[in-house]
Short mmCIF file of all heavy atoms in Angstrom, two decimals:
data_model
loop_
_atom_site.label_atom_id
_atom_site.label_comp_id
_atom_site.label_asym_id
_atom_site.label_seq_id
_atom_site.Cartn_x
_atom_site.Cartn_y
_atom_site.Cartn_z
N PHE A 1 123.64 174.38 68.75
CA PHE A 1 122.97 173.20 69.32
C PHE A 1 123.22 172.02 68.50
O PHE A 1 123.54 170.92 69.05
CB PHE A 1 121.48 173.50 69.50
CG PHE A 1 120.65 172.34 69.95
CD1 PHE A 1 120.53 172.09 71.31
CD2 PHE A 1 120.02 171.51 69.09
CE1 PHE A 1 119.81 170.98 71.76
CE2 PHE A 1 119.25 170.40 69.50
CZ PHE A 1 119.13 170.16 70.86
N SER A 2 122.99 172.08 67.20
CA SER A 2 123.18 170.93 66.32
C SER A 2 124.68 170.51 66.19
O SER A 2 124.98 169.33 66.17
CB SER A 2 122.56 171.13 64.94
OG SER A 2 123.19 172.27 64.28
N GLU A 3 125.54 171.49 66.06
CA GLU A 3 126.95 171.20 66.00
C GLU A 3 127.40 170.51 67.24
O GLU A 3 128.20 169.55 67.23
CB GLU A 3 127.76 172.48 65.78
CG GLU A 3 127.62 173.09 64.39
CD GLU A 3 128.56 172.42 63.38
OE1 GLU A 3 129.76 172.38 63.62
OE2 GLU A 3 128.00 171.83 62.40
N ASP A 4 127.02 170.96 68.37
CA ASP A 4 127.39 170.34 69.68
C ASP A 4 126.83 168.91 69.79
O ASP A 4 127.50 168.06 70.33
CB ASP A 4 126.87 171.16 70.86
CG ASP A 4 127.65 172.51 71.02
OD1 ASP A 4 128.68 172.69 70.39
OD2 ASP A 4 127.18 173.35 71.79
N ALA A 5 125.68 168.68 69.22
CA ALA A 5 125.08 167.36 69.27
C ALA A 5 125.88 166.34 68.48
O ALA A 5 126.12 165.23 68.90
CB ALA A 5 123.62 167.42 68.79
N VAL A 6 126.37 166.77 67.28
CA VAL A 6 127.20 165.92 66.49
C VAL A 6 128.50 165.56 67.23
O VAL A 6 128.96 164.43 67.31
CB VAL A 6 127.54 166.56 65.13
CG1 VAL A 6 128.55 165.72 64.35
CG2 VAL A 6 126.23 166.71 64.31
N GLN A 7 129.14 166.62 67.80
CA GLN A 7 130.38 166.41 68.53
C GLN A 7 130.18 165.47 69.75
O GLN A 7 130.95 164.59 69.96
CB GLN A 7 130.93 167.75 69.04
CG GLN A 7 132.23 167.66 69.74
CD GLN A 7 132.80 169.03 70.06
OE1 GLN A 7 132.78 169.93 69.20
NE2 GLN A 7 133.35 169.23 71.24
N ALA A 8 129.13 165.65 70.48
CA ALA A 8 128.83 164.84 71.68
C ALA A 8 128.59 163.35 71.28
O ALA A 8 129.09 162.46 71.96
CB ALA A 8 127.64 165.34 72.44
N ALA A 9 127.87 163.17 70.17
CA ALA A 9 127.58 161.80 69.71
C ALA A 9 128.89 161.09 69.27
O ALA A 9 129.08 159.92 69.54
CB ALA A 9 126.63 161.80 68.56
N LEU A 10 129.84 161.86 68.68
CA LEU A 10 131.05 161.25 68.30
C LEU A 10 131.89 160.81 69.55
O LEU A 10 132.44 159.69 69.65
CB LEU A 10 131.89 162.21 67.45
CG LEU A 10 131.43 162.32 65.96
CD1 LEU A 10 132.06 163.50 65.28
CD2 LEU A 10 131.78 161.04 65.21
N LEU A 11 132.00 161.75 70.50
CA LEU A 11 132.75 161.45 71.67
C LEU A 11 132.15 160.33 72.47
O LEU A 11 132.85 159.51 73.13
CB LEU A 11 132.84 162.74 72.56
CG LEU A 11 133.75 163.86 72.01
CD1 LEU A 11 133.61 165.09 72.86
CD2 LEU A 11 135.18 163.44 71.87
N ALA A 12 130.82 160.17 72.40
CA ALA A 12 130.21 159.07 73.10
C ALA A 12 130.50 157.73 72.52
O ALA A 12 130.36 156.69 73.17
CB ALA A 12 128.68 159.28 73.15
N ASN A 13 131.01 157.72 71.27
CA ASN A 13 131.35 156.47 70.58
C ASN A 13 132.83 156.24 70.54
O ASN A 13 133.31 155.33 69.80
CB ASN A 13 130.74 156.46 69.14
CG ASN A 13 129.26 156.20 69.19
OD1 ASN A 13 128.84 155.05 69.28
ND2 ASN A 13 128.48 157.26 69.11
N ASP A 14 133.59 156.96 71.28
CA ASP A 14 135.01 156.73 71.43
C ASP A 14 135.22 155.62 72.45
O ASP A 14 135.01 155.79 73.69
CB ASP A 14 135.73 157.99 71.86
CG ASP A 14 137.23 157.78 72.15
OD1 ASP A 14 137.72 156.69 71.87
OD2 ASP A 14 137.86 158.75 72.56
N ILE A 15 135.58 154.38 71.96
CA ILE A 15 135.70 153.26 72.93
C ILE A 15 137.07 153.26 73.63
O ILE A 15 137.30 152.34 74.50
CB ILE A 15 135.48 151.93 72.19
CG1 ILE A 15 136.64 151.66 71.16
CG2 ILE A 15 134.16 151.92 71.49
CD1 ILE A 15 136.66 150.24 70.63
N GLY A 16 137.91 154.17 73.26
CA GLY A 16 139.22 154.21 73.94
C GLY A 16 140.05 153.02 73.61
O GLY A 16 140.02 152.47 72.49
N GLY A 17 140.71 152.51 74.57
CA GLY A 17 141.57 151.29 74.37
C GLY A 17 143.02 151.59 74.16
O GLY A 17 143.39 152.68 73.66
N GLN A 18 143.84 150.64 74.49
CA GLN A 18 145.26 150.77 74.36
C GLN A 18 145.78 149.62 73.46
O GLN A 18 145.15 148.63 73.23
CB GLN A 18 145.97 150.65 75.72
CG GLN A 18 145.56 151.77 76.74
CD GLN A 18 146.03 153.12 76.30
OE1 GLN A 18 147.15 153.26 75.71
NE2 GLN A 18 145.21 154.14 76.55
N GLY A 19 146.96 149.84 72.90
CA GLY A 19 147.64 148.77 72.13
C GLY A 19 147.41 148.96 70.66
O GLY A 19 146.71 149.88 70.20
N ARG A 20 147.95 148.01 69.90
CA ARG A 20 147.90 148.07 68.45
C ARG A 20 147.39 146.71 67.93
O ARG A 20 147.57 145.67 68.55
CB ARG A 20 149.33 148.39 67.87
CG ARG A 20 149.83 149.74 68.41
CD ARG A 20 151.24 149.97 67.94
NE ARG A 20 151.30 150.33 66.51
CZ ARG A 20 150.98 151.52 65.99
NH1 ARG A 20 150.58 152.53 66.81
NH2 ARG A 20 151.10 151.79 64.72
N ILE A 21 146.80 146.78 66.74
CA ILE A 21 146.25 145.61 66.13
C ILE A 21 147.04 145.19 64.89
O ILE A 21 147.38 146.09 64.01
CB ILE A 21 144.77 145.91 65.71
CG1 ILE A 21 143.91 146.22 66.96
CG2 ILE A 21 144.20 144.71 64.94
CD1 ILE A 21 142.60 146.79 66.59
N ARG A 22 147.44 143.99 64.82
CA ARG A 22 148.22 143.49 63.69
C ARG A 22 147.34 143.33 62.50
O ARG A 22 146.28 142.60 62.58
CB ARG A 22 148.91 142.12 64.11
CG ARG A 22 149.66 141.50 62.95
CD ARG A 22 150.98 142.15 62.73
NE ARG A 22 151.79 141.55 61.68
CZ ARG A 22 152.88 141.99 61.21
NH1 ARG A 22 153.40 143.12 61.71
NH2 ARG A 22 153.57 141.35 60.31
N ILE A 23 147.73 143.92 61.36
CA ILE A 23 146.95 143.78 60.12
C ILE A 23 147.68 142.71 59.27
O ILE A 23 148.47 143.04 58.40
CB ILE A 23 146.86 145.12 59.35
CG1 ILE A 23 146.32 146.20 60.30
CG2 ILE A 23 145.90 145.00 58.18
CD1 ILE A 23 145.03 146.02 60.91
N ARG A 24 147.47 141.49 59.65
CA ARG A 24 148.18 140.39 59.03
C ARG A 24 147.28 139.81 57.85
O ARG A 24 146.38 139.12 58.13
CB ARG A 24 148.54 139.31 60.03
CG ARG A 24 149.48 138.21 59.49
CD ARG A 24 149.68 137.14 60.51
NE ARG A 24 150.14 137.63 61.78
CZ ARG A 24 151.40 137.78 62.13
NH1 ARG A 24 152.36 137.55 61.21
NH2 ARG A 24 151.73 138.26 63.31
N ASP A 25 147.61 140.18 56.63
CA ASP A 25 146.77 139.79 55.51
C ASP A 25 147.66 139.79 54.24
O ASP A 25 148.24 140.76 53.83
CB ASP A 25 145.64 140.86 55.35
CG ASP A 25 144.55 140.41 54.40
OD1 ASP A 25 144.85 139.82 53.35
OD2 ASP A 25 143.42 140.62 54.71
N HIS A 26 147.70 138.58 53.61
CA HIS A 26 148.57 138.46 52.45
C HIS A 26 148.12 139.38 51.28
O HIS A 26 148.86 139.72 50.43
CB HIS A 26 148.67 137.01 52.02
CG HIS A 26 147.37 136.49 51.35
ND1 HIS A 26 146.31 136.07 52.05
CD2 HIS A 26 147.07 136.39 50.03
CE1 HIS A 26 145.37 135.71 51.22
NE2 HIS A 26 145.79 135.85 49.95
N LEU A 27 146.83 139.72 51.34
CA LEU A 27 146.26 140.53 50.27
C LEU A 27 146.74 142.03 50.42
O LEU A 27 146.66 142.82 49.53
CB LEU A 27 144.70 140.55 50.31
CG LEU A 27 144.13 139.15 50.07
CD1 LEU A 27 142.65 139.13 50.29
CD2 LEU A 27 144.43 138.71 48.63
N LEU A 28 147.27 142.38 51.69
CA LEU A 28 147.78 143.71 51.88
C LEU A 28 149.29 143.78 51.89
O LEU A 28 149.86 144.82 52.07
CB LEU A 28 147.21 144.24 53.19
CG LEU A 28 145.77 144.63 53.25
CD1 LEU A 28 145.29 144.62 54.68
CD2 LEU A 28 145.50 145.93 52.57
N ARG A 29 149.94 142.60 51.72
CA ARG A 29 151.38 142.55 51.92
C ARG A 29 152.14 143.44 50.93
O ARG A 29 153.10 144.11 51.30
CB ARG A 29 151.84 141.09 51.69
CG ARG A 29 153.27 140.85 52.15
CD ARG A 29 153.62 139.34 52.07
NE ARG A 29 152.69 138.58 52.97
CZ ARG A 29 152.38 137.30 52.71
NH1 ARG A 29 152.86 136.68 51.72
NH2 ARG A 29 151.54 136.66 53.55
N HIS A 30 151.66 143.51 49.70
CA HIS A 30 152.29 144.38 48.69
C HIS A 30 152.27 145.85 49.14
O HIS A 30 153.24 146.59 49.03
CB HIS A 30 151.61 144.21 47.35
CG HIS A 30 152.22 145.10 46.27
ND1 HIS A 30 153.54 144.97 45.82
CD2 HIS A 30 151.74 146.18 45.58
CE1 HIS A 30 153.77 145.90 44.91
NE2 HIS A 30 152.69 146.59 44.72
N GLN A 31 151.04 146.27 49.63
CA GLN A 31 150.93 147.68 50.05
C GLN A 31 151.85 147.89 51.31
O GLN A 31 152.46 148.99 51.42
CB GLN A 31 149.50 147.97 50.40
CG GLN A 31 148.52 147.84 49.24
CD GLN A 31 148.81 148.89 48.19
OE1 GLN A 31 149.20 150.02 48.49
NE2 GLN A 31 148.60 148.52 46.89
N GLN A 32 151.85 146.98 52.24
CA GLN A 32 152.63 147.15 53.47
C GLN A 32 154.10 147.14 53.20
O GLN A 32 154.86 147.65 54.05
CB GLN A 32 152.23 146.08 54.44
CG GLN A 32 150.78 146.20 54.97
CD GLN A 32 150.35 145.00 55.79
OE1 GLN A 32 151.00 144.00 55.79
NE2 GLN A 32 149.19 145.17 56.44
N GLY A 33 154.54 146.64 52.07
CA GLY A 33 155.95 146.68 51.77
C GLY A 33 156.43 148.02 51.21
O GLY A 33 157.63 148.29 51.01
N ARG A 34 155.45 148.88 50.95
CA ARG A 34 155.80 150.23 50.39
C ARG A 34 156.14 151.20 51.55
O ARG A 34 155.55 151.05 52.65
CB ARG A 34 154.71 150.79 49.58
CG ARG A 34 154.35 149.98 48.33
CD ARG A 34 153.25 150.63 47.54
NE ARG A 34 152.99 149.91 46.27
CZ ARG A 34 152.05 150.24 45.42
NH1 ARG A 34 151.25 151.30 45.66
NH2 ARG A 34 151.91 149.59 44.32
N ARG A 35 156.97 152.18 51.26
CA ARG A 35 157.22 153.24 52.23
C ARG A 35 156.52 154.46 51.78
O ARG A 35 156.79 155.05 50.78
CB ARG A 35 158.75 153.49 52.36
CG ARG A 35 159.54 152.31 52.90
CD ARG A 35 160.95 152.68 53.18
NE ARG A 35 160.98 153.70 54.27
CZ ARG A 35 162.10 154.23 54.71
NH1 ARG A 35 163.28 153.87 54.16
NH2 ARG A 35 162.16 155.11 55.64
N SER A 36 155.53 154.89 52.59
CA SER A 36 154.76 156.04 52.20
C SER A 36 155.51 157.34 52.65
O SER A 36 156.09 157.33 53.70
CB SER A 36 153.38 156.03 52.84
OG SER A 36 152.71 157.22 52.64
N TRP A 37 155.42 158.39 51.85
CA TRP A 37 156.01 159.62 52.22
C TRP A 37 155.12 160.41 53.17
O TRP A 37 155.48 161.43 53.75
CB TRP A 37 156.30 160.52 50.98
CG TRP A 37 155.09 160.84 50.20
CD1 TRP A 37 154.61 160.13 49.14
CD2 TRP A 37 154.20 161.95 50.35
NE1 TRP A 37 153.48 160.69 48.64
CE2 TRP A 37 153.14 161.78 49.33
CE3 TRP A 37 154.13 163.00 51.23
CZ2 TRP A 37 152.19 162.71 49.26
CZ3 TRP A 37 153.08 163.92 51.12
CH2 TRP A 37 152.12 163.76 50.10
N LEU A 38 153.87 159.90 53.36
CA LEU A 38 152.96 160.57 54.27
C LEU A 38 153.20 160.05 55.71
O LEU A 38 153.42 158.92 55.93
CB LEU A 38 151.54 160.24 53.86
CG LEU A 38 151.08 160.78 52.52
CD1 LEU A 38 149.77 160.14 52.08
CD2 LEU A 38 150.90 162.29 52.61
N PRO A 39 153.10 160.98 56.69
CA PRO A 39 153.21 160.59 58.08
C PRO A 39 152.00 159.76 58.54
O PRO A 39 150.96 159.74 57.90
CB PRO A 39 153.27 161.91 58.85
CG PRO A 39 152.58 162.85 57.98
CD PRO A 39 152.83 162.40 56.60
N ALA A 40 152.11 159.11 59.66
CA ALA A 40 151.02 158.33 60.24
C ALA A 40 150.89 158.65 61.69
O ALA A 40 151.78 158.35 62.43
CB ALA A 40 151.21 156.85 60.06
N PRO A 41 149.75 159.21 62.15
CA PRO A 41 148.61 159.64 61.32
C PRO A 41 149.04 160.92 60.57
O PRO A 41 150.00 161.61 60.88
CB PRO A 41 147.53 160.00 62.39
CG PRO A 41 148.33 160.34 63.56
CD PRO A 41 149.56 159.46 63.59
N ILE A 42 148.22 161.24 59.57
CA ILE A 42 148.53 162.37 58.68
C ILE A 42 148.45 163.67 59.44
O ILE A 42 149.19 164.65 59.11
CB ILE A 42 147.61 162.34 57.46
CG1 ILE A 42 148.04 163.44 56.49
CG2 ILE A 42 146.18 162.48 57.81
CD1 ILE A 42 149.43 163.27 55.94
N TRP A 43 147.58 163.83 60.38
CA TRP A 43 147.39 165.15 61.00
C TRP A 43 146.90 164.97 62.44
O TRP A 43 146.03 164.12 62.73
CB TRP A 43 146.42 165.98 60.22
CG TRP A 43 146.27 167.35 60.64
CD1 TRP A 43 147.07 168.41 60.38
CD2 TRP A 43 145.24 167.92 61.47
NE1 TRP A 43 146.67 169.60 60.97
CE2 TRP A 43 145.48 169.30 61.65
CE3 TRP A 43 144.08 167.35 62.05
CZ2 TRP A 43 144.65 170.07 62.38
CZ3 TRP A 43 143.26 168.22 62.78
CH2 TRP A 43 143.55 169.54 62.94
N ARG A 44 147.42 165.75 63.31
CA ARG A 44 146.95 165.86 64.70
C ARG A 44 146.33 167.24 64.93
O ARG A 44 146.93 168.21 64.41
CB ARG A 44 148.02 165.61 65.70
CG ARG A 44 148.56 164.17 65.70
CD ARG A 44 149.72 164.09 66.71
NE ARG A 44 150.26 162.71 66.75
CZ ARG A 44 149.89 161.78 67.59
NH1 ARG A 44 148.95 162.05 68.45
NH2 ARG A 44 150.42 160.57 67.56
#
């Protein structure tokens, strides 16, 4: 019962939506210039 309640509450807060959001921030530019060996997303 409690496990199902947590799962239901999470699904109720899935706003869905399509498209991508540009993370345009000079403070992140150095990180965004790196190539990560990790996939994105990390796991499905």
Side-chain angles (χ1 to χ4, degrees):
F1 175 85
S2 61
E3 287 279 302
D4 289 348
V6 171
Q7 181 173 320
L10 283 166
L11 290 175
N13 283 280
D14 178 3
I15 67 168
Q18 299 293 324
R20 301 174 74 79
I21 298 169
R22 177 73 177 176
I23 311 299
R24 192 186 302 275
D25 193 318
H26 74 280
L27 298 170
L28 290 161
R29 192 173 301 154
H30 177 67
Q31 298 293 326
Q32 292 171 348
R34 296 179 176 181
R35 296 189 64 182
S36 173
W37 59 269
L38 293 167
I42 184 62
W43 187 80
R44 292 177 180 267

